[in-house]
Amino acid sequence: MANFESGLPFDREIVRAFPSPASTTPVEINALAARAARQYQDDFITPRMLSGIWRGVEFLLLASVGLLVFVQYVGLSSPLRLSYIVLSFAGAAIGIVAINLADGYELSILKGRFIQLWRVIAAWGAALSLLSVVLFFLYNDAAYSRFWFGTWFVAGSGSLVLARLVLRANIRRWARNGRMERRAVIVGGGKEAEMLIRNLEIQPDSDIRICGIFDDRDNDRSPPIVAGYPKLGTVTELVEFARLTRIDMLIVTLPLSAEQRVLSLLKQLWVLPLDIRLSAHSAQLRFRPRTYSFVGQVPLIDIFDRPLADWDWIAKRVFDLCFATLALIALSPVFLATAIAIKLNSKGPVLFRQKRHGFNNQIVEIFKFRSLFHEMSDPLAKQIVTKNDKRVTRVGRFIRRTSIDELPQLINVLRGDLSLVGPRPHAVHAISSGNETFVEIVEGYFGRHKVKPGITGWAQIKGWRGEIDQPDKLQKRFEHDLYYIENWSILLDLYILMMTPISLLKTEGAY
């Protein structure tokens, strides 16, 4: 129990010490689980996402009110009009920071009673007071309108109150129809699961919706219904269930004393792009505070965090859309020239389509420029392309060596199937030169699918591209993919994009 007693989250190396299923064949879930999966396939709004969006809404609202008051009562003819515009945005920004410091964006306040709005108004007043004091000391000879400040405070306060009343009504509506929540699945039934559910239900600020229970134990040891929630299947079925639904969290309720069982479960579940928590409400051991997250007063031990959650996902998606659009425009002459060359060199379509593993192990169809003779094309990737492969056309050799054949995947990026940067998507039935499937070569292979695959990636700029003729090459790709997932940032994506053209100069292994 050394790892538990350290007070730290589970180390991934310990989790990897346990065997995991290697089959790529999807598990067929039972009818009850399938019905539940259909119920939770729609998107939902997490509290963190709502809080971030609402900060942006109130910033624009306060800035707009400040500008409107200026136009109405000061006028665009004022020599300080540019200063007033700057002040409107600066004051709005300070207001958002002040409201945030007053916990005004906590879910309990956003959906709370009318009387709780006083702290929002007080924070807004404090922000304008601070702004006026700063202006007095910096520009005490400038005639800024005190009437503008006063009217901005009153109109801004009224706008904040009205907007938050509308938001509160919507939060309640979203809660009723299941759009405003964190969806969780419980792993492990019995008394531990029942105790957790009961504790979650009595929390006034809980945003957790239990979607079902999964347990490998039979009905004698784990009842089919716990606290009104059905057991939907085994842990193996849970992996497939999580790929069919929109859920946010897995909560393992097995006791900490069952260390071997807990670690074995985590070995199966860590490949999923979900927050994984261990219920700690009945644990006798005590951990360091930073180890816990709380739902109300219910403690959960943080094991794995979902990569690219909420705002990180949005930032990456905006990054992809902007740069993919620019790349398509800039590279359009290359697209045209490549298409003409392919048509002149061999018969068949210009584009080649292939099914590959995408985010969360889902199947996506990607586009490439055709580099093989059409009659020898291999959509299932049952035969890996090797050096001097007779199936590759003359134009195909060039575009494969320079990775021009990958450029149509920019369309996949705009469609949302791929990202610009991420682990390269492998064909569904891809095998190595030794006729081994990738999942047989690399333990925990599906862990690389916790984020969207990309056109380029950390492994590619580090030289791990081209033919996989040795197991070590796939292992190295996998390790680099995990490094990228665990260390993602917008700056890292920019660095990889900038280094990709340089890495293409090294054509060894690219046939």
Side-chain angles (χ1 to χ4, degrees), residues 83-84 86-95 124-139 144 148-149 152:
S83 297
Y84 274 107
V86 172
L87 287 176
S88 295
F89 286 100
I94 297 172
W124 170 232
L128 287 186
S129 298
L130 175 62
L131 184 63
S132 63
V133 169
V134 170
L135 287 175
F136 174 78
F137 283 104
L138 293 180
Y139 306 102
Y144 288 102
W148 175 68
F149 268 107
W152 190 15

Side-chain angles (χ1 to χ4, degrees), residues 39-40 181-186 193 196-198 200-201 206-213 226 229-230 232 247 249 251:
Q39 181 181 352
Y40 298 113
E181 60 195 1
R182 282 188 293 171
R183 296 173 183 169
V185 167
I186 291 180
L196 173 67
I197 293 171
R198 298 300 186 198
L200 288 174
E201 288 178 339
S206 174
D207 60 332
I208 298 291
R209 170 175 287 205
I210 305 298
C211 301
I213 299 170
V226 177
Y229 293 91
L232 299 179
I247 58 176
M249 181 189 302
I251 305 177

Side-chain angles (χ1 to χ4, degrees), residues 318-339:
V318 171
F319 178 92
D320 286 342
L321 290 173
C322 292
F323 279 86
T325 301
L326 292 174
L328 277 171
I329 295 172
L331 295 172
S332 55
V334 178
F335 272 76
L336 180 60
T338 304

Side-chain angles (χ1 to χ4, degrees), residues 26-67:
V27 176
E28 185 174 346
I29 59 177
N30 60 67
L32 181 61
R35 188 161 61 248
R38 288 192 294 270
Q39 181 181 352
Y40 298 113
Q41 283 182 333
D42 58 319
D43 292 325
F44 58 95
I45 306 170
T46 65
R48 182 185 173 195
M49 180 74 73
L50 175 67
S51 177
I53 293 173
W54 197 246
R55 285 179 175 89
V57 169
E58 290 193 334
F59 169 76
L60 293 176
L61 180 64
L62 291 175
S64 299
V65 171
L67 291 173

Side-chain angles (χ1 to χ4, degrees), residues 64-78:
S64 299
V65 171
L67 291 173
L68 185 62
V69 172
F70 160 68
V71 172
Q72 187 70 28
Y73 293 102
V74 180
L76 292 173
S77 61
S78 170

